[in-house]
Amino acid sequence: MALDLFSPVKLGSIALKNRMVMAPLTRNRAGEGGVPQAMNVTYYVQRASAGLIISEATPISVMAHGYPALPGIYTDAQVAGWKKVTDAVHAEGGKIVIQLWHVGRISHPSLLPNGAQPVAPSANKPKGKAFTYQGLVDYVEPRALALSELPSIVADYVHATKCALAAGFDGVEIHAANGYLLDQFLRDGTNKREDEYGGSIENRSRLLLEVTKAVVEVAGSDKVGIRISPVNPFNDMKDSNPQALFNHVVTALNPFKLAYLHVVEGGIHGGGIADPFDFPALRKHCQSAYMANLSYDKARGNAAIASGHADVIAYGVPFIANPDLVKRFSINAALNQADSSTFYGGTEHGYTDYPFLGA
Ligand code: PHB
């Protein structure tokens, strides 16, 4: 029988009961100190019928924050809070990995310790506004990380990975997409460095590969995935030759034998794409499982799996509005529509109160 969204699959050591993955979704509803709270447990456990849940993007250190009310994965209290999430998801037969996040320049002093300046590969200010506790405010110019500081960034990923394993996650996803720190190093619209972390494609890929090596040493390659977004212009991003850059990145990741490569195949938030890009060509370079994301529906998801383009499909907005999305797809039931006014921040409303079928 042909493979489809409902076929089981293994991503590294993580056994999925189906190929529908809940994409990472920023929801800004963590408790004090970046500690996941009761409503976060409810939200994730409601969605445990997904083959795999990828947590919301989660800062790996105090300097990695860039939005209000994010959960973290670097303190004991955060680990204890996440443990309640992973235990509840596992009790329902689900699997969950955490997305490890450093926002780089997409932050603001008001979100950082002692009003610190955000850090980035280079000192260039993004266009657009930061989302802060005081509302939308202009971004500031970030500070270029010194060469001597990069080992401490790698160490923060290692610490967060240890925390994630202690919190009971089935694995970790390294967030190298969407214009955050690792993507800021990859793409030459943001990376203007003149040391061995800037310039050539090899140099711009260096930090991601160092982070990957260090995280794999802690977690094991079969528990590590990576997310990239080759042509997503979100967060004022661009690159002069994304096909060459990301073909290289994917090829350089192959020796790690990662659990999966997660690819955002376009521009998020309706942003379109900055450049043409051949995703099937990228996919041919990838020797790990391939997770496709962005605007897939059931038919396109099944087609991508049947054709061999993708092994699994990550669904974002549909999982916000449909905790039982797997059931709805399986019986072709109507979908709840998502209310974008409750995506970021707020209460249980628009978070844990979307109805299940028959409710
Ligand atoms: C967002 O808050 O809009 C957001 C966060 C993380 C991403 C992408 C978008 O990777």
Side-chain angles (χ1 to χ4, degrees):
M1 223 182 75
L3 296 173
D4 67 11
L5 285 167
F6 309 104
S7 312
V9 67
K10 260 184 118 181
L11 302 180
S13 66
I14 314 166
L16 278 59
K17 60 199 171 206
N18 60 61
R19 295 172 185 239
M20 291 177 60
V21 175
M22 178 176 164
L25 296 156
T26 293
R27 304 304 308 273
N28 310 86
R29 284 168 169 91
E32 205 53 43
V35 178
Q37 53 182 338
M39 72 165 150
N40 309 129
V41 178
T42 303
Y43 165 75
Y44 283 111
V45 79
Q46 284 178 340
R47 289 156 179 79
S49 59
L52 177 68
I53 295 170
I54 303 172
S55 81
E56 63 206 277
T58 300
I60 58 167
S61 70
V62 286
M63 281 302 290
H65 282 258
Y67 302 89
L70 300 176
I73 187 68
Y74 51 89
T75 72
D76 291 345
Q78 292 162 357
V79 169
W82 278 118
K83 186 80 172 45
K84 294 180 186 157
V85 172
T86 63
D87 282 347
V89 168
H90 291 150
E92 287 296 312
K95 296 286 161 73
I96 181 167
V97 300
I98 188 166
Q99 196 192 45
L100 301 179
W101 198 20
H102 192 311
V103 299
R105 68 178 188 162
I106 304 301
S107 189
H108 187 268
S110 68
L111 295 163
L112 297 174
N114 308 313
Q117 202 179 352
V119 296
S122 306
N124 44 57
K125 179 169 103 151
K127 288 200 197 80
K129 306 255 184 202
F131 173 24
T132 73
Y133 287 101
Q134 291 77 41
L136 293 174
V137 298
D138 284 340
Y139 285 115
V140 298
E141 185 177 291
R143 176 175 75 74
L145 283 160
L147 195 57
S148 61
E149 292 177 281
L150 298 182
S152 72
I153 299 284
V154 177
D156 288 342
Y157 279 92
V158 168
H159 174 68
T161 302
K162 289 178 179 162
C163 289
L165 296 174
F169 283 99
D170 296 292
V172 300
E173 176 175 289
I174 297 169
H175 190 345
N178 300 343
Y180 298 105
L181 183 70
L182 294 173
D183 197 26
Q184 290 159 26
F185 271 83
L186 290 174
R187 293 199 252 178
D188 62 12
T190 36
N191 185 340
K192 306 292 183 189
R193 297 179 76 91
E194 292 177 355
D195 59 17
E196 62 261 43
Y197 290 84
S200 68
I201 284 174
E202 288 74 13
N203 282 355
R204 283 183 275 129
S205 306
R206 192 177 309 282
L207 184 62
L208 173 61
L209 296 174
E210 288 179 353
V211 166
T212 304
K213 180 168 184 286
V215 167
V216 161
E217 275 166 15
V218 173
S221 58
D222 58 357
K223 288 192 168 69
V224 179
I226 291 196
R227 193 180 209 213
I228 57 173
S229 60
V231 279
N232 182 10
F234 182 60
N235 286 328
D236 196 17
M237 292 299 289
K238 57 180 185 303
D239 187 80
S240 60
N241 191 349
Q243 194 83 48
L245 169 61
F246 286 94
N247 286 356
H248 170 80
V249 166
V250 169
T251 305
L253 289 172
N254 281 331
F256 290 106
K257 303 196 185 310
L258 298 178
Y260 64 88
L261 176 74
H262 183 179
V263 183
V264 183
E265 296 176 332
I268 66 169
H269 296 318
I273 64 168
D275 303 283
F277 194 88
D278 186 345
F279 286 99
L282 182 82
R283 198 271 176 267
K284 288 197 182 74
H285 287 275
C286 169
Q287 292 169 0
S288 68
Y290 185 97
M291 182 184 294
N293 171 245
L294 210 65
S295 318
Y296 279 85
D297 57 13
K298 177 183 170 181
R300 284 188 58 232
N302 275 330
I305 290 170
S307 73
H309 174 67
D311 297 285
V312 288
I313 308 292
Y315 294 94
V317 171
F319 262 118
I320 289 181
N322 299 275
D324 52 355
L325 186 67
V326 175
K327 171 118 185 259
R328 287 175 192 255
F329 272 15
S330 72
I331 62 173
N332 294 317
L335 302 185
N336 298 322
Q337 291 311 302
D339 171 9
S340 61
S341 73
T342 54
F343 282 178
Y344 299 107
T347 63
E348 284 87 350
H349 176 55
Y351 189 55
T352 54
D353 64 354
Y354 283 103
F356 284 74
L357 272 175

